[in-house]
Amino acid sequence: MPPTTTASSGQQPGKSGRKKGRRARLIVLVLVLAVIGGVAFGGYWSVSTVRASFPQTKGSTELVGLSGPVDVKRDSYGIPQIYASSDEDLFMAQGYVQAQDRFYEMDVRRHLTSGRLSEMFGKGQVEDDEFLRTLGWDRVAKKEYDTKLSASTKKYLQAYAKGVNAYLQGRSGKDISLEYAALAFENDYKPEKWTPVDSLAWLKAMAWDLRGNMKDEIDRALMTSRLGPKQIADLYPEYPYSRNQAIVQEGQYNELTETFEQNGSSQENGLSGTGTSTSGTGTSTSGTGTSTSGSGTAAGGTGTGTSASTSSSTASTLQSQLSGLNDVLDDIPTAVGVNGQGIGSNSWVVAGSHTITGKPLLANDPHLSASLPSVWYQMGLHCRTVSSKCQYDVSGYTFAGMPGVIIGHNAKIAWGMTNSGVDVTDLYLEKLSGDGYLYGGKTVPFTTREETIKVAGGTSKKIVVRETNNGPLLSDRSDELVKVGKKATVDNAAPDRGDGYGVALRWTALDPGTSMDAVFAMDRASDWSEFRAAAALFDVPSQNLVYADSENIGYTLPGRIPIRAKGDTGAIPAPGWNPKYTWTGKYIEQDELPYEYNPERGYIVTANQAVVDKDKYPYTLTTDWGYGTRSQRITDLIEQKIKGGGKVSTDDMRQMQLDNSSEIAKLLVPKLLKIDVEDKDVRQAQELLEGWDYTQDADSAAAAYFNAVWRNILKLAFGNKLPKELRVKGQCLWVDPVNTVGPADETDKVRECGQRDADQAQPDGGDRWFEVVRKLMDDENSDWWKTPAGVGDRPKADNRDELFKRALIDARWELTAKLGKDIDTWSWGRLHRLFLKNQTLGIEGPGFVQYMLNRGPWKLSGGEATVNATGWNAAGGYGVVWVPSMRMVVNLGDLDKSKWINLTGASGHAYSAHYTDQTGKWVKGELLDWSFSDDAVDKSTTDTLVLKP
């Protein structure tokens, strides 16, 4: 039986709960499970019910529609390798096999992407469905299928769907997955047939979680109620190009040819041209870090039709709107990430000149939400003979519900992905009237459509989706936003209010694209040229792609990246009524996007840092890069290894993935050790930091104490000064009233409580905050270091060292409460724990269902902005909220010596041997053998199933 997942207060990661309606719905299902389960799984919840959904993995079975036999070979971890003689047979078998292992997960995903969760789970999901219908992912996917995709891609999607449906044929819900036993008992839900659009829509969900800087746009606007433009700028510093290297280091944009050239040149400080160039008619690149004093709707800006004299009322309106929008966004179920926060990844490639084998090595570990089952599904797709009839011989990671392989290698090349962070979303504040919205001084009618949401066990609900020229009105899905918009006060300089303000979303993923074509093209690419051509089809989400073949390494940035108008960086919500801020309709051409091929240094590192130095590139890719902490650490590790002619091995790459070094500790610990502490208990804890090597191992007491100190530094210096919309729910403070001028008397203070879920609050402690603190270290008397006295005898602070002393004290007693007074019992792993949760019935409710479906906890090493990125949110606690969702190292010298691991296992069936059979090794940092050749696969095969026509 699985261990309990019940955590002590403050230890369990993630959200405390969804909306009340969803909780009520889950409680009903819990009661159903209790009834059908009984004690010791008696009656309906029997051993036979549990085993009924386990897949057949041996012998043979008939699959109508195949043109020839297909072999499905599974290893001891249940990972399938499929062998067929035609493309259609290969992908039909892939659909069948993934449905065997993961159909419930696939079914939930398609209901999420189509805004139909209420059909499965009842009225508690209606609000989510309304928002998802407004986005219209499945409608866009349908347009892609009808108008954009190649004939071959459609054929593969059809074959995949045929395989899924062949598995569903003749099976009841409980024969497909355990969870259906509960759903069928409650609302008579029955799975329907799979369609090609169901597969396509998942790419939109993935793009949503990897969408870029929308949260930063909202946060910056919300900060204006408490912070001025300079203070906000302090919290979004410039990217440190001189310290943390960009991905692309060789080459720059050539304005004569209008292409990016690895050995190109341009006039020094004289970039010019159209679009978003730095001195022509476009947007100045500003790198990471955003000023809020420009035009638009942010603090201190003038916008269009608003004036500084009314900034208080207008800003208040915007803050309320965006706070409401943020609440809606936070409640949407995640696809692969933590609602767009903390999304990162590591991927790097080392040339053969620096490796033991003389051939390249490529590593990848995407950082995503921890989920059960894992978001990834490992498998191989092999044509017995590669030919025009059967073109694929590829192995790697894909998503259950999608044909092909997303990350991995074929017989010729390997590739990995990290999120680029490129800004492909913008929020627009809209002026609404009963008939439409204001644009260019005229009222333009909405584009509307009616959607009907069917509700299991309830009455269907109809909604009207309204769109402006900028995109769907997200604010229509929030009653709070409607009320605020109607009551908003603006001055005479603003456009007529009409019925109030709205918030619309412009996002590249809402336009039909060709990303599915790209997946198949990458799977069959055989060299750099073919790979780049395939990457050019990858519209959304924009990803950093690293490449290797047996002789070469490379990097390319694909994606449909908008060219914005002059003065619009996309960093803050824009006035939608002003045509100046409308997207130009132009996108950066593929041959203008940065790339590298066989750079002289002999390696390429991508870990969400800046793609290219802003002085070498005319276009604004984003103003919100990751700050390069992980990428620079990986770079340093590679340089240390190859110094003096050293060579890198496959295991060296694995060990680099597990690096637990804390870069912020290296900056702060020398200062913390100089603080004079009188209290002997606090001094005892401080001494843990003496001689500490800054590694965050699970058994390290020093790591536990330092991270507690870091958390308290952030809280005292920044968190307590942020508006309630950004702070953690339940954290209440006495603060000056909003919009007061000058200091308020103690009697004038008001009590405000945080409104953010624990995994969404700020300051989250990521490497943006590393840079914030680094910039302030020499300004010892900055106002940021000031904090009032705390409860009891906790001293106030008027400078940096006094605040550090206070953090040392507060951290000591926080850990005493959590871990006990005896520091010899402290360890980072006791605080930093991973819980794996079934993403529907295992999220909430009494322990019975959690005990059945969830697993954990595991004590983890690593931390935030660490190469071994077991992320935690410093504002919310120490629990793990995102992880390296898989790890792989590809050996281009001998593909059979490549290694891989998944977070959980191949199976989505709760009592399968392969539910979490990889997790223990993943926690230890171990990798599994990754067989690819026919001989290697045969040697590792334990079960073979033959699918017959």
Side-chain angles (χ1 to χ4, degrees):
M1 296 299 294
T4 180
T5 61
T6 302
S8 58
S9 177
Q11 301 284 317
Q12 194 158 346
K15 299 181 179 179
S16 59
R18 300 289 190 186
K19 299 294 186 183
K20 291 182 179 179
R22 186 181 307 156
R23 184 175 296 111
R25 177 262 302 167
L26 282 170
I27 290 173
V28 170
L29 288 176
V30 166
L31 295 175
V32 171
L33 286 172
V35 170
I36 64 177
V39 180
F41 320 119
Y44 192 80
W45 200 271
S46 63
V47 172
S48 62
T49 300
V50 170
R51 291 179 176 173
S53 58
F54 287 4
Q56 178 186 353
T57 60
K58 295 181 179 180
S60 64
T61 190
E62 183 177 315
L63 203 58
V64 177
L66 288 176
S67 63
V70 176
D71 296 326
V72 181
K73 301 179 180 182
R74 294 180 184 258
D75 65 11
S76 60
Y77 288 89
I79 300 171
Q81 304 285 337
I82 300 176
Y83 291 82
S85 298
S86 73
D87 291 339
E88 291 94 326
D89 283 357
L90 191 64
F91 294 118
M92 183 177 178
Q94 183 182 17
Y96 183 89
V97 170
Q98 287 192 342
Q100 280 187 307
D101 287 333
R102 299 278 193 96
F103 183 76
Y104 178 74
E105 174 193 13
M106 294 163 58
D107 201 13
V108 171
R109 282 180 175 177
R110 69 166 163 181
H111 280 79
L112 184 153
T113 58
S114 59
R116 295 167 52 216
L117 290 168
S118 300
E119 293 180 20
M120 292 186 77
F121 302 114
K123 63 181 181 181
Q125 293 291 338
V126 169
E127 288 185 11
D128 287 350
D129 283 346
E130 290 178 2
F131 189 83
L132 293 163
R133 294 288 184 95
T134 300
L135 290 172
W137 293 339
D138 63 327
R139 298 178 70 255
V140 180
K142 180 68 164 60
K143 288 182 182 178
E144 281 187 359
Y145 185 80
D146 291 340
T147 66
K148 288 288 187 178
L149 298 183
S150 67
S152 61
T153 293
K154 291 183 180 180
K155 182 171 60 177
Y156 301 154
L157 288 164
Q158 292 163 3
Y160 181 90
K162 188 188 296 184
V164 175
N165 293 328
Y167 181 74
L168 297 180
Q169 182 68 35
R171 286 181 167 84
S172 66
K174 66 184 179 68
D175 293 330
I176 297 171
S177 190
L178 191 63
E179 291 89 342
Y180 288 118
L183 292 176
F185 191 90
E186 166 67 7
N187 56 41
D188 200 32
Y189 172 82
K190 292 181 176 61
E192 60 190 34
K193 288 187 175 182
W194 193 262
T195 72
V197 173
D198 293 334
S199 295
L200 284 176
W202 181 243
L203 283 171
K204 302 301 177 185
M206 183 175 71
W208 175 253
D209 282 356
L210 305 177
R211 62 191 177 271
N213 73 338
M214 186 191 296
K215 284 281 189 177
D216 289 314
E217 285 189 50
I218 293 173
D219 285 359
R220 279 189 284 263
L222 291 174
M223 285 179 182
T224 60
S225 67
R226 289 285 173 195
L227 306 176
K230 183 183 182 303
Q231 291 172 306
I232 296 173
D234 284 346
L235 303 186
Y236 288 89
E238 290 283 322
Y239 183 90
Y241 289 98
S242 62
R243 188 174 66 255
N244 295 342
Q245 297 173 358
I247 297 172
V248 175
Q249 299 172 41
E250 297 182 11
Q252 55 192 358
Y253 187 83
N254 186 325
E255 61 179 311
L256 296 178
T257 62
E258 295 185 340
T259 60
F260 190 91
E261 297 177 358
Q262 188 157 350
N263 297 311
S265 62
S266 65
Q267 300 175 12
E268 184 177 359
N269 299 323
L271 294 174
S272 63
T274 59
T276 55
S277 68
T278 55
S279 60
T281 61
T283 298
S284 171
T285 55
S286 60
T288 294
T290 303
S291 170
T292 58
S293 59
S295 60
T297 55
T302 61
T304 299
T306 60
S307 68
S309 64
T310 60
S311 61
S312 175
S313 61
T314 303
S316 178
T317 298
L318 177 60
Q319 289 150 14
S320 297
Q321 290 171 321
L322 293 177
S323 178
L325 174 59
N326 188 77
D327 290 343
V328 175
L329 295 178
D330 281 355
D331 199 46
I332 297 302
T334 60
V336 298
V338 189
N339 276 313
Q341 296 294 305
I343 300 299
S345 300
N346 302 322
S347 190
W348 67 94
V349 60
V350 180
S353 57
H354 294 313
T355 69
I356 288 175
T357 65
K359 303 293 183 182
L361 295 170
L362 185 150
N364 196 188
D365 56 289
H367 308 154
L368 305 172
S369 290
S371 61
L372 182 61
S374 167
V375 69
W376 297 109
Y377 186 89
Q378 298 156 284
M379 71 187 319
L381 302 171
H382 309 277
C383 290
R384 294 189 178 95
T385 301
V386 176
S387 65
S388 59
K389 179 182 178 182
C390 198
Q391 304 173 73
Y392 297 88
D393 187 17
V394 61
S395 183
Y397 298 84
T398 187
F399 300 119
M402 273 184 57
V405 166
I406 306 299
I407 295 173
H409 70 82
N410 59 31
K412 299 291 186 180
I413 71 168
W415 65 95
M417 295 185 185
T418 63
N419 192 31
S420 69
V422 167
D423 184 6
V424 295
T425 61
D426 281 341
L427 293 174
Y428 285 88
L429 189 63
E430 305 281 8
K431 295 288 187 178
L432 309 180
S433 71
D435 299 322
Y437 58 96
L438 192 68
Y439 182 71
K442 298 179 180 180
T443 298
V444 181
F446 296 110
T447 300
T448 63
R449 68 179 187 273
E450 186 176 272
E451 298 273 356
T452 300
I453 298 172
K454 296 179 181 178
V455 182
T459 304
S460 297
K461 180 177 182 180
K462 291 186 177 182
I463 64 169
V464 174
V465 176
R466 301 190 296 176
E467 295 185 3
T468 73
N469 63 317
N470 292 312
L473 276 173
L474 303 187
S475 50
D476 278 356
R477 304 283 72 89
S478 169
D479 291 339
E480 178 185 1
L481 297 187
V482 173
K483 293 175 182 177
V484 170
K486 288 181 177 180
K487 297 179 180 180
T489 300
V490 294
D491 77 339
N492 294 331
D496 288 341
R497 178 185 61 203
D499 287 337
Y501 289 94
V503 179
L505 170 68
R506 185 73 173 96
W507 179 32
T508 55
L510 296 183
D511 299 322
T514 56
S515 293
M516 197 70 236
D517 283 341
V519 171
F520 293 117
M522 285 192 290
D523 284 355
R524 61 177 181 263
S526 61
D527 57 28
W528 172 244
S529 177
E530 291 182 2
F531 181 77
R532 283 206 79 195
L537 299 170
F538 209 100
D539 297 303
V540 290
S542 178
Q543 297 288 285
N544 295 312
L545 298 180
V546 294
Y547 165 93
D549 59 38
S550 61
E551 303 297 334
N552 306 289
I553 65 172
Y555 161 84
T556 190
L557 174 71
R560 199 159 185 254
I561 303 169
I563 295 176
R564 294 175 174 86
K566 181 180 180 181
D568 180 13
T569 65
I572 56 177
W577 54 84
N578 187 349
K580 173 183 175 182
Y581 291 92
T582 305
W583 280 10
T584 65
K586 297 180 180 179
Y587 299 85
I588 303 174
E589 297 291 337
Q590 287 299 310
D591 58 4
E592 296 180 282
L593 290 170
Y595 75 93
E596 272 192 335
Y597 186 60
N598 292 329
E600 290 185 10
R601 63 188 180 278
Y603 60 86
I604 301 169
V605 175
T606 75
N608 318 113
Q609 77 270 40
V611 168
V612 64
D613 192 311
K614 64 179 181 179
D615 294 330
K616 296 182 179 180
Y617 198 66
Y619 296 118
T620 299
L621 296 174
T622 186
T623 58
D624 292 293
W625 300 115
Y627 281 76
T629 301
R630 282 180 288 107
S631 61
Q632 193 58 44
R633 176 60 178 170
I634 295 167
T635 297
D636 292 345
L637 291 171
I638 293 172
E639 285 287 350
Q640 291 169 18
K641 190 66 182 178
I642 65 178
K643 184 178 180 180
K647 302 295 183 180
V648 179
S649 69
T650 300
D651 196 60
D652 290 331
M653 300 283 274
R654 179 189 69 86
Q655 291 186 43
M656 291 177 193
Q657 289 178 324
L658 303 177
D659 183 78
N660 293 321
S661 177
S662 170
E663 296 305 300
I664 190 63
K666 294 175 184 178
L667 175 69
L668 293 182
V669 166
K671 302 291 186 183
L672 294 173
L673 288 174
K674 293 179 180 179
I675 303 296
D676 185 21
V677 177
E678 299 84 12
D679 187 295
K680 64 180 180 60
D681 291 314
V682 178
R683 174 59 186 156
Q684 182 187 35
Q686 184 187 33
E687 289 173 351
L688 290 171
L689 304 179
E690 295 178 358
W692 179 43
D693 62 0
Y694 311 122
T695 60
Q696 300 169 96
D697 295 331
D699 61 358
S700 170
Y705 183 57
F706 171 77
N707 282 320
V709 174
W710 170 235
R711 179 176 185 239
N712 280 278
I713 287 173
L714 291 170
K715 178 180 177 181
L716 294 168
F718 311 105
N720 291 348
K721 301 177 176 91
L722 296 177
K724 61 182 183 296
E725 293 87 356
L726 273 67
R727 299 202 313 269
V728 178
K729 285 180 181 177
Q731 183 198 61
C732 299
L733 301 171
W734 288 97
V735 297
D736 296 340
V738 173
N739 298 322
T740 53
V741 179
D745 295 331
E746 289 299 317
T747 56
D748 294 332
K749 291 186 181 294
V750 296
R751 191 170 187 263
E752 287 187 349
C753 297
Q755 298 178 354
R756 282 272 174 97
D757 286 315
D759 62 3
Q760 301 289 315
Q762 293 292 339
D764 61 16
D767 64 353
R768 172 164 67 91
W769 294 100
F770 290 14
E771 194 65 17
V772 169
V773 170
R774 186 185 297 275
K775 293 279 189 182
L776 292 170
M777 286 295 286
D778 292 335
D779 187 0
E780 298 182 24
N781 295 309
S782 166
D783 286 344
W784 289 112
W785 299 128
K786 294 175 170 47
T787 192
V791 177
D793 59 354
R794 305 291 173 88
K796 71 172 186 176
D798 291 318
N799 57 48
R800 184 197 69 191
D801 287 351
E802 288 180 359
L803 185 137
F804 283 5
K805 180 177 181 179
R806 169 72 177 276
L808 287 165
I809 296 169
D810 288 359
R812 178 20 158 152
W813 300 117
E814 180 188 358
L815 292 199
T816 297
K818 291 181 181 295
L819 303 179
K821 189 173 182 179
D822 184 358
I823 65 172
D824 291 336
T825 68
W826 290 3
S827 70
W828 176 227
R830 288 182 62 195
L831 292 171
H832 193 53
R833 300 190 294 171
L834 170 67
F835 294 79
L836 293 176
K837 297 183 177 183
N838 178 286
Q839 291 302 289
T840 53
L841 302 181
I843 291 178
E844 299 161 1
F848 174 79
V849 171
Q850 294 185 20
Y851 191 83
M852 292 285 292
L853 300 177
N854 297 343
R855 301 293 184 268
W858 288 269
K859 300 174 181 179
L860 297 191
S861 301
E864 180 65 26
T866 301
V867 179
N868 183 18
T870 56
W872 56 288
N873 186 303
Y878 303 97
V880 177
V881 294
W882 57 82
V883 294
S885 55
M886 62 79 159
R887 299 185 182 104
M888 75 175 195
V889 179
V890 182
N891 184 330
L892 276 297
D894 184 347
L895 293 172
D896 288 330
K897 291 183 179 177
S898 301
K899 304 285 185 179
W900 62 350
I901 196 79
N902 206 349
L903 173 63
T904 61
S907 180
H909 301 293
Y911 288 93
S912 166
H914 306 306
Y915 192 46
T916 56
D917 58 340
Q918 297 185 51
T919 308
K921 290 182 177 294
W922 177 92
V923 170
K924 296 176 183 177
E926 299 176 12
L927 300 177
L928 305 179
D929 292 336
W930 185 353
S931 300
F932 182 73
S933 70
D934 292 350
D935 288 344
V937 169
D938 286 342
K939 288 178 182 177
S940 63
T941 296
T942 59
D943 293 350
T944 300
L945 174 67
V946 179
L947 305 178
K948 296 181 176 180

